[in-house]
Amino acid sequence: MNYPFVMLVFVTITSAVMVVSHRNIIHAAVFLGLSFVGVAGMYLLLNAPFLAGAQVLIYVGAITVLILFSLMLTSQRIMREPRNALAYRLLSGAVAGVLFLMLVWTAWQPVWAVKPEVALETQNQVYLSQLADGLLGAYLLPFEIASVLLLVALVGAIVLAKEEREA
Amino acid sequence: MVAYALLIPLFPLVGFLVILLAGIVRKWVTGDIRIADRLASGVGILTVGLSFILSWLVLFEVLGKGPGSAYHHAYEWLDVGFLTLWFGFYIDAMTAMMLVVVTTVALMVQIFSTGYMAGDLRFPRFYSYLCLFTMAMLILVLANNLVQLFIAWELMGLASYLLIGFWFEKPSAMRAAKKAFMVTRVGDVGLFFGMALLLGLTNTLNFVGLVVAHPDGTAPGLLEQGWLSNMGVCAGPAILTTTSPIFGVAVAGSVLLGVAALLIFCGSIGKSAQFPLHVWLPDAMEGPTPVSALIHAATMVAAGVYLVARMYPVFDFGGVLSVAGTDFRPLSFVALIGTITALMAALIALTQSDIKRILAYSTISQLGFMMAGLGCGGVVSGGGQAAAAGAAEAGHAATEAAAHAATGAAGHAAEAVGQAATALAHGAAGGEHLLHLGFTAGMFHLMTHAFFKGLLFLGSGSVIHGTGTQDVWEMGGLRRFMPKTLGTYFCGYIALAGVPFVAAGFYSKDLILDAAWEFNPVIFWVLVFTAGLTAFYMTRQMMLVFGGEWSGGPAVVQHGHTDPQSDPHGSLHAEDYSHIGHEQEEQPGPEAVPVDARPAPVVAAHDPVAGDDAAHDHAAHSHDDHGHGHHGQPHESPPSMLIPLYVLAALAIVSGLVGIPGWLPVPGAFAIYPYLHYTRPGMSTEFHPHFNPMVFIPGFVAPLVGIALGYVAYRGRKFNWAQAERLTPLQRTVYALSYNKLYFDEFYWNYVFIRPLFVVTNLLKLADIYVVDAIVRAVAMVGLVLSQVGGMFDRFIIDGVVNGVGRSARAGGNGLRYLQSGQIQNYILMAFAGVVLLVWAVLQSNAVK
Amino acid sequence: MPLPGLSSFLVVAAGLFCVGVYGVLTRRNAVAILMGIELMLNAANLNLIAFARFTDPALMAGQVFSIFVITVAAAEAAVGLAIVICVYRNIQNINVDDINLLRW
């Protein structure tokens, strides 16, 4: 019984549920950030400290803020959004539920090639230097493409969000 | 030469075909009509002339071979298993005589027609029909079996129809043609059944072996071709020795054979215009006069007589039918019918006013004579007359013997004694006795009658041509205008009347009276009386036509004034079409004088002609036979018409010479008998004619009395029954009966044939409307219903399917379009649902264990 | 304390993912939908890291991959929100139910 794990799970899942169900959208955005944090904690448990940090930085720090800003910019007088029809929600829940069940079933298959010695080890971390070597070594191409992607996204977002101005 | 007998009918056949083509040519050659006409008549005369010559040569050849010779040639035609049909010819003396008669009269008629029918629109067709008829008659006469005879018989009926109805624009002519055909058809049915019955009895229809054989009853085989000798009209093995396989009776003497004979006689009744089927012959006078001369005087009507003569053994051996206790031999029946016919027709002829009708009824009467003559032949079983005859014969033979003995001619005396003994034996035996004369008499009279009746008809044609009318009351005094016609007509007249010794008719009629005396005294006296009537009405005709003064013709007599408009053209010229349609009578014959209802009206100087007969004759004058548009005097006929008259006149006189009674001490007397007699096997045919005053005196006196009475009565052409106020009702009734032909036509029309047929027709019409049409409508209804069903099927099911596809597509589209809600979340939902399904499918597919 | 097995992490990731699915399907606000998408991405990331940890830590493919996922998620969030702002400018409203011009 790994208490940290359980707590993190609780936080994450609960926050996620609040994200999708809370009527107040701002609250939902905050809960989103909280769930990001929970996920970051789980990264730590999984020997990925850098990623945990990156997660917090980017997700919580940038994306959540971005979301909040855009919520501000697109604010409506009523921040509470109306519910969908019950039937629709049930249907969506059903779809999601079924999907969950199937994934769970899959997850519990004993086919995953888990190396037993690794499963028990807790000390093996992936160091930042290793990551850096990898990023600029074996995975250089994706790295570069990702940077291009960021550039494109940047440009695109600016263009899209730009106000029409009389030239 | 006789081997070429096949050519005899072949020539007219060729003529028929050639003239048909000539008629076609004439249509295209619009130029000279006369050339086509001359071509047609030339071909006709040529072909019939060739047949004529050939016939005379055949006659001489047959006669030259002696009595009992015959030429036989048969070709196999059809083999139907149990029966083989042949066609071919059998020429004995009787056939040769018929050939000569037919071709002679036919040739004379053809020559006559060149003058008579000149200018007719359908001249070539007339000649083609004449050739057709001649061919048919010749085939009939030459036939060697009943089937061929029957075929030719029917063909003659056709030719008669065509010729009677030659001027087919005249409704009366067409009616007459139909009537002739129909009435003879009634007889032909009987003939056909008789043939069938005969076939069933004897299994053959060929003459050789059936009705023509050696006098002892044997016969040569059918395949024997060429000259046969010792043949005669005698029953052959087919009758004598056969037991019918079908009926199981011996043929000879069986009642069935008698029935067959009577049925065959039905055909003769029809064709030869005997009572009761005589009604067509007077109406047949609607045809052109040459037709009347050829067909209805000389040849076609004689075919019935020829049939009886040919089938004589069948008649003679036919069994006796018992009717009301009396035994009727078939020949007795023939004689009875003949006598009735003779008397009845003579009575009608007394009052007729149309020259052709007088001759028509005269023909019927003379045919009756012929039938009576034939009927007075054959074998009778014993009986007084025969015994008396035998005794008389014996008596005369004894007288002869005495005379011979007186002159010391012992041989002759012995012979005569022998004859007497034989005759006594015959008479005394009371057994079967052969009446020798009947057969010969009938055929002899046929020959002479053909000549003088043909002559009379052609002569009447000449008169009609000259005067433009057919009514004797519009004639008169023609002896001054048409002497040549008168001369020839006179020859025919004395022949028909039977003026003693001078012309042929006397001899033949006398022979018939001889035969009748031997058979039955009643028949004898009736025939004597009829002979007297004959002389009377012929004298009446002569006086009215040639005697007295010219009445002025139809223009004067009909209209009371000279009417230049009355242009009694005969044969149709183009301008004649306006006259057509004058007659519209529906019923035959007049509604004539119902004596108690109204008195005989007086119409000009005519015999009373109330009713249709007047219109009939009146209009008939307008377009019946030939006539020029005269408005004045009658004139003599051209030579083309006179020459045949001369020839026939000569023959009318001369043809009797072959039958001069044997008791006249003239060389060659009764020369006809050896060639033309009936033989019964086992009976002697030796005939010793003797003079019988009981027979001769009446036969001598009756015509003279008739002539005298007629001369006295009609000398002034004024003896007109109707005008005499002193007519008693009885006399008026008798007159009306005679004038209106004994009302036979009305009787047949109303009670026997026509009206009942109309009833049947109406019934069938009702049946057709209510039954047949109902069925047809029902069928149509079924079809309609089926089509409705099909339509509904098509509309609802087929179209339903087709439309349904469209509709379901649209409905599907209408339904599915709501999927595109425009809302992304819906799309995503659906996508995820799909994902779920995919994952599930993958999990199911054993990819993950 | 023993670390939970791979399956647990996978289950957690699955749960997070399905919650994110539910959010995408259900929320009316466009930004909320993007939030749901972020959740899903996170779940994917968690999966990747878990696998990297349990199967072969020496090979850092999983973590490297995760970095890229984060990168892409960020870019996508940015662009997406820019689009949302555009939409807001046009219809003053970011209720996705009202963005349905392409309906039937």
Side-chain angles (χ1 to χ4, degrees):
Chain A
M1 197 54 161
N2 198 335
Y3 288 112
F5 175 71
V6 170
M7 277 195 321
L8 281 170
V9 167
F10 176 73
V11 168
T12 309
I13 295 300
T14 312
S15 308
V17 171
M18 294 308 285
V19 168
V20 300
S21 63
H22 206 287
R23 302 286 296 284
N24 190 333
I25 197 73
I26 303 290
H27 293 179
V30 173
F31 275 116
L32 182 69
L34 188 58
S35 86
F36 287 156
V37 171
V39 171
M42 276 196 271
Y43 287 170
L44 283 172
L45 283 179
L46 289 170
N47 291 347
F50 172 70
L51 269 175
Q55 167 91 355
V56 171
L57 271 174
I58 299 172
Y59 265 111
V60 181
I63 290 179
T64 310
V65 172
L66 188 59
I67 286 176
L68 281 168
F69 263 110
S70 61
L71 280 173
M72 255 177 23
L73 286 175
T74 65
S75 67
Q76 303 167 76
R77 285 187 354 112
I78 301 173
M79 286 303 233
R80 306 181 77 78
E81 90 180 21
R83 283 196 195 281
N84 274 320
L86 180 64
Y88 183 72
R89 277 183 288 137
L90 278 177
L91 180 62
S92 311
V95 170
V98 170
L99 186 61
F100 175 65
L101 287 173
M102 285 196 292
L103 288 171
V104 163
W105 186 82
T106 313
W108 271 348
Q109 302 300 315
V111 299
W112 305 118
V114 174
K115 294 195 179 140
E117 62 277 16
V118 173
L120 294 175
E121 217 180 73
T122 56
Q123 296 303 314
N124 202 356
Q125 294 191 4
V126 177
Y127 290 103
L128 181 60
S129 57
Q130 287 174 290
L131 271 177
D133 284 337
L135 274 177
L136 293 173
Y139 302 104
L140 178 61
L141 182 60
F143 178 72
E144 296 299 330
I145 291 176
S147 53
V148 172
L149 175 70
L150 281 173
L151 175 65
V152 169
L154 181 68
V155 171
I158 290 173
V159 167
L160 281 172
K162 201 165 73 163
E163 291 200 7
E164 290 292 323
R165 237 192 278 264
E166 311 304 313
Chain B
M1 195 49 57
V2 73
Y4 299 112
L6 191 61
L7 289 176
I8 296 182
L10 206 62
F11 284 128
L13 173 65
V14 168
F16 167 67
L17 295 171
V18 168
I19 295 173
L20 278 186
L21 296 175
I24 298 173
V25 164
R26 175 184 177 166
K27 266 186 98 148
W28 297 335
V29 176
T30 54
D32 199 343
I33 289 180
R34 288 175 310 173
I35 291 184
D37 285 357
R38 279 210 208 109
L39 200 69
S41 63
V43 168
I45 292 175
L46 176 69
T47 52
V48 174
L50 285 172
S51 293
F52 167 78
I53 295 172
L54 206 51
S55 301
W56 277 95
L57 290 174
V58 164
L59 176 70
F60 289 138
E61 197 169 339
V62 170
L63 292 180
K65 292 259 180 192
S69 315
Y71 187 83
H72 177 244
H73 197 93
Y75 307 89
E76 185 174 324
W77 179 24
L78 277 181
D79 190 347
V80 284
F82 62 90
L83 175 68
T84 309
L85 291 177
W86 304 78
F87 73 93
F89 41 89
Y90 177 83
I91 305 177
D92 61 357
M94 181 160 74
T95 309
M97 178 196 86
M98 292 294 296
L99 282 177
V100 162
V101 164
V102 169
T103 52
T104 307
V105 177
L107 182 62
M108 294 306 124
V109 163
Q110 293 229 352
I111 298 174
F112 186 85
S113 303
T114 57
Y116 191 81
M117 302 289 290
D120 192 296
L121 282 175
R122 291 192 287 270
F123 189 87
R125 194 190 295 196
F126 186 73
Y127 271 84
S128 71
Y129 290 162
L130 284 182
C131 286
L132 176 71
F133 172 81
T134 312
M135 173 197 80
M137 185 73 196
L138 290 171
I139 292 179
L140 184 141
V141 163
L142 285 171
N144 75 338
N145 64 82
L146 258 180
V147 176
Q148 184 180 342
L149 192 146
F150 186 72
I151 293 172
W153 184 276
E154 297 293 333
L155 201 53
M156 281 202 309
L158 169 71
S160 172
Y161 170 84
L162 291 172
L163 282 164
I164 295 174
F166 184 70
W167 289 318
F168 54 72
E169 292 85 356
K170 280 202 302 178
S172 59
M174 283 321 294
R175 267 201 301 276
K178 274 182 277 191
K179 185 174 180 181
F181 199 81
M182 291 293 167
V183 173
T184 52
R185 207 81 190 97
V186 174
D188 294 348
V189 169
L191 172 58
F192 193 78
F193 277 122
M195 275 169 60
L197 184 56
L198 191 60
L199 180 64
L201 281 170
T202 60
N203 209 33
T204 178
L205 291 174
N206 297 304
F207 291 163
V208 175
L210 180 67
V211 292
V212 163
H214 298 306
D216 58 359
T218 60
L222 186 61
L223 290 172
E224 221 171 289
Q225 321 263 26
W227 283 106
L228 310 169
S229 57
N230 201 25
M231 299 290 290
V233 177
C234 173
I239 293 182
L240 292 175
T241 60
T242 310
T243 303
S244 165
I246 299 179
F247 299 105
V249 291
V251 174
S254 68
V255 174
L256 285 173
L257 191 64
V259 171
L262 288 177
L263 287 172
I264 291 175
F265 185 55
C266 284
S268 291
I269 293 180
K271 205 63 129 184
S272 296
Q274 302 295 299
F275 165 86
L277 294 178
H278 65 281
V279 291
W280 63 272
L281 193 54
D283 286 2
M285 298 299 120
E286 292 287 335
T289 307
V291 168
S292 304
L294 177 63
I295 295 184
H296 306 123
T299 45
M300 188 175 94
V301 293
V305 181
Y306 174 76
L307 177 67
V308 174
R310 260 288 170 242
M311 292 286 120
Y312 213 72
V314 174
F315 281 84
D316 190 39
F317 276 92
V320 167
L321 300 167
S322 285
V323 175
T326 327
D327 283 343
F328 259 114
R329 303 156 55 236
L331 284 174
S332 309
F333 189 71
V334 169
L336 181 69
I337 296 285
T339 315
I340 294 175
T341 309
L343 180 62
M344 174 195 78
L347 289 174
I348 299 179
L350 289 177
T351 57
Q352 297 300 311
S353 58
D354 184 330
I355 190 176
K356 285 177 72 173
R357 278 191 200 231
I358 297 176
L359 293 175
Y361 283 106
S362 171
T363 305
I364 299 175
S365 181
Q366 295 304 306
L367 288 167
F369 262 97
M370 288 178 225
M371 288 297 184
L374 282 178
C376 294
V379 165
V380 287
S381 40
Q385 196 73 8
E393 209 179 301
H396 287 289
T399 321
E400 248 183 78
H404 283 298
T407 57
H412 283 264
E415 196 184 280
V417 167
Q419 282 173 19
T422 323
L424 262 178
H426 275 164
E432 296 197 321
H433 171 78
L434 176 63
L435 301 172
H436 293 92
L437 289 174
F439 180 83
T440 314
M443 289 307 290
F444 182 40
H445 196 57
L446 190 157
M447 179 178 81
T448 59
H449 173 267
F451 292 132
F452 62 67
K453 198 43 84 53
L455 166 65
L456 285 172
F457 264 107
L458 290 184
S460 74
S462 175
V463 164
I464 294 169
H465 176 91
T467 60
T469 175
Q470 287 185 245
D471 189 329
V472 293
W473 294 102
E474 295 169 8
M475 299 178 192
L478 290 183
R479 65 184 180 285
R480 299 215 182 86
F481 302 102
M482 309 171 72
K484 302 196 186 97
T485 306
L486 167 64
T488 54
Y489 206 88
F490 189 74
C491 294
Y493 156 67
I494 58 175
L496 175 54
V499 172
F501 293 115
V502 179
F506 169 71
Y507 296 112
S508 54
K509 205 172 294 186
D510 200 54
L511 199 58
I512 292 180
L513 292 176
D514 271 341
W517 174 258
E518 275 198 9
F519 177 60
N520 187 324
V522 174
I523 291 184
F524 171 77
W525 285 111
V526 168
L527 288 179
V528 167
F529 178 63
T530 310
L533 288 179
T534 308
F536 178 81
Y537 66 67
M538 281 313 291
T539 311
R540 168 179 179 265
Q541 188 189 45
M542 289 295 283
M543 298 308 296
L544 288 178
V545 169
F546 294 101
E549 296 302 324
W550 171 241
S551 62
V556 170
V557 174
Q558 288 178 23
H559 306 284
H561 57 279
T562 336
D563 186 356
Q565 289 307 331
S566 83
D567 186 14
H569 269 256
S571 49
L572 295 181
H573 302 252
E575 58 268 27
D576 266 328
Y577 283 89
S578 56
H579 289 282
I580 294 173
H582 281 194
E583 305 97 354
Q584 61 271 24
E585 61 266 40
E586 284 191 356
Q587 284 202 358
E591 252 75 43
V593 195
V595 178
D596 41 352
R598 55 181 156 153
V602 176
V603 177
H606 287 198
D607 291 350
V609 286
D612 286 346
D613 208 15
H616 202 82
D617 283 346
H618 180 115
H621 296 153
S622 311
H623 3 299
D624 202 353
D625 281 4
H626 210 82
H628 295 309
H630 354 223
H631 315 296
Q633 310 290 351
H635 60 278
E636 186 61 269
S637 303
S640 64
M641 293 167 64
L642 288 177
I643 291 177
L645 294 178
Y646 294 145
V647 172
L648 286 175
L651 280 170
I653 305 288
V654 161
S655 61
L657 294 178
V658 295
I660 296 178
W663 44 264
L664 279 179
V666 173
F670 214 38
I672 196 173
Y673 185 75
Y675 290 97
L676 199 63
H677 63 273
Y678 171 64
T679 314
R680 176 102 159 191
M683 290 196 179
S684 158
T685 59
E686 284 209 9
F687 178 66
H688 300 276
H690 56 277
F691 177 73
N692 189 343
M694 282 296 299
V695 172
F696 183 75
I697 303 281
F700 185 92
V701 163
L704 294 177
V705 167
I707 293 174
L709 282 176
Y711 180 77
V712 164
Y714 286 96
R715 183 176 41 190
R717 286 189 85 250
K718 284 205 296 281
F719 188 74
N720 190 335
W721 280 84
Q723 283 183 323
E725 252 73 43
R726 55 189 185 275
L727 261 186
T728 68
L730 174 66
Q731 291 170 324
R732 220 175 286 151
T733 315
V734 170
Y735 185 85
L737 269 179
S738 167
Y739 191 78
N740 297 319
K741 308 166 275 168
L742 298 178
Y743 296 105
F744 262 100
D745 286 319
E746 292 74 10
F747 179 67
Y748 284 156
W749 181 278
N750 283 318
Y751 298 109
V752 181
F753 293 116
I754 308 295
R755 283 265 156 77
L757 188 63
F758 285 164
V759 169
V760 172
T761 309
N762 279 329
L763 278 176
L764 288 177
K765 180 179 94 171
L766 288 177
D768 182 53
I769 290 177
Y770 289 113
V771 174
V772 175
D773 283 0
I775 294 175
V776 170
R777 268 199 295 272
V779 170
M781 203 59 62
V782 168
L784 202 63
V785 165
L786 282 179
S787 75
Q788 298 277 36
V789 168
M792 289 203 315
F793 180 79
D794 182 56
R795 244 178 305 142
F796 290 121
I797 298 179
I798 308 282
D799 286 359
V801 166
V802 170
N803 289 346
V805 168
R807 249 186 267 128
S808 57
R810 180 186 298 185
N814 270 341
L816 283 177
R817 82 204 296 214
Y818 293 111
L819 280 179
Q820 191 174 4
S821 59
Q823 307 202 349
I824 301 176
Q825 283 174 319
N826 291 345
Y827 301 160
I828 295 175
L829 173 64
M830 288 189 274
F832 267 109
V835 167
V836 165
L837 281 172
L838 266 174
V839 171
W840 182 80
V842 167
L843 290 181
Q844 285 298 102
S845 67
N846 301 332
V848 176
K849 274 285 189 264
Chain C
M1 282 165 293
L3 197 63
L6 174 62
S7 310
S8 313
F9 282 101
L10 295 183
V11 168
V12 174
L16 204 57
F17 185 82
C18 292
V19 171
V21 168
Y22 181 79
V24 166
L25 294 177
T26 307
R27 299 287 274 180
R28 299 284 190 79
N29 196 319
V31 180
I33 292 176
L34 281 164
M35 290 198 277
I37 292 173
E38 294 305 326
L39 279 178
M40 290 199 290
L41 284 162
N42 267 300
N45 259 351
L46 189 57
N47 249 347
L48 283 165
I49 305 293
F51 271 109
R53 160 72 174 79
F54 281 99
T55 53
D56 191 358
L59 191 68
M60 324 152 278
Q63 295 195 5
V64 170
F65 205 149
S66 291
I67 291 178
F68 289 124
V69 171
I70 290 173
T71 311
V72 170
E76 166 251 333
V79 174
L81 289 168
I83 290 173
V84 168
I85 289 177
C86 272
V87 169
Y88 179 79
R89 276 206 209 115
N90 278 311
I91 60 172
Q92 312 303 319
N93 174 18
I94 51 173
N95 190 340
V96 294
D97 286 343
D98 299 333
I99 309 172
N100 59 359
L101 284 179
L102 280 179
R103 62 180 292 169
W104 52 269

